[in-house]
Amino acid sequence: MTDKQKKFVNFILWICMFAVVAKILFTLFSSHRIDSYGLFVLSIFVASLLELHTFGKMSYIGGDSKGRQTDEMEEHIVRVSSKISYFALMVIVLIIMSVTEYLDGQEGFNNIPLMLVFCATIVTLPFVQFLVAKKYK
């Protein structure tokens, strides 16, 4: 991807992000609810923008070139950041789960889907490591 293409994609991503944020705010102020699909689309745009600035490519929206070789530094960044992001995600889910339970104020645990997500974050890394180890043994 050339510099001119990167600047153009960067510009388009920022415009799309502002449009989605405007839609989310409009929905929030008009109907007093948060647009979950808007948050999902916004997260894809933010991830694409960050990946564009980090590696100069975008795999989230189909801009990854298959013939492009990755260097050792990029592989190291991906390896280290994936493990850090896994544990950060686990902490974020725990905080969200704790806050929703505290604000709910009822006895017992009522948010079963969030508890399942938290349990999945605990099990995911060891399970993937097990599968990868089986592949190489």
Side-chain angles (χ1 to χ4, degrees):
M1 191 179 274
T2 66
D3 271 350
K4 196 172 190 179
Q5 290 172 331
K6 287 179 189 177
K7 287 180 183 179
F8 178 71
V9 171
N10 188 16
F11 178 72
I12 296 297
L13 282 172
W14 276 106
I15 288 177
C16 291
M17 285 174 33
F18 284 127
V20 171
V21 168
K23 165 92 171 59
I24 291 171
L25 290 175
F26 177 76
T27 304
L28 179 66
F29 291 131
S30 65
S31 64
H32 301 291
R33 65 179 185 86
I34 296 175
D35 184 16
S36 59
Y37 297 114
L39 290 175
F40 176 70
V41 169
L42 184 64
S43 67
I44 290 175
F45 287 149
V46 168
S48 297
L49 186 69
L50 289 172
E51 188 176 27
L52 179 68
H53 286 290
T54 305
F55 299 117
K57 64 178 183 170
M58 296 181 321
S59 61
Y60 285 101
I61 53 179
D64 191 16
S65 58
K66 300 295 181 201
R68 184 177 164 275
Q69 295 290 330
T70 58
D71 60 350
E72 290 179 21
M73 181 57 102
E74 183 177 340
E75 290 175 4
H76 177 70
I77 291 170
V78 169
R79 210 174 20 255
V80 169
S81 63
S82 64
K83 194 148 188 179
I84 291 171
S85 64
Y86 166 76
F87 289 110
L89 178 64
M90 186 185 300
V91 170
I92 289 168
V93 170
L94 178 64
I95 290 170
I96 291 172
M97 189 175 67
S98 301
V99 168
T100 56
E101 282 303 304
Y102 176 74
L103 293 178
D104 191 23
Q106 296 178 359
E107 287 286 325
F109 191 80
N110 295 327
N111 201 345
I112 297 300
L114 192 56
M115 177 57 108
L116 291 173
V117 168
F118 180 65
C119 293
T121 62
I122 293 172
V123 174
T124 300
L125 181 66
F127 181 70
V128 171
Q129 287 174 341
F130 172 76
L131 291 178
V132 171
K134 294 273 289 183
K135 178 182 173 185
Y136 288 110
K137 284 186 180 179

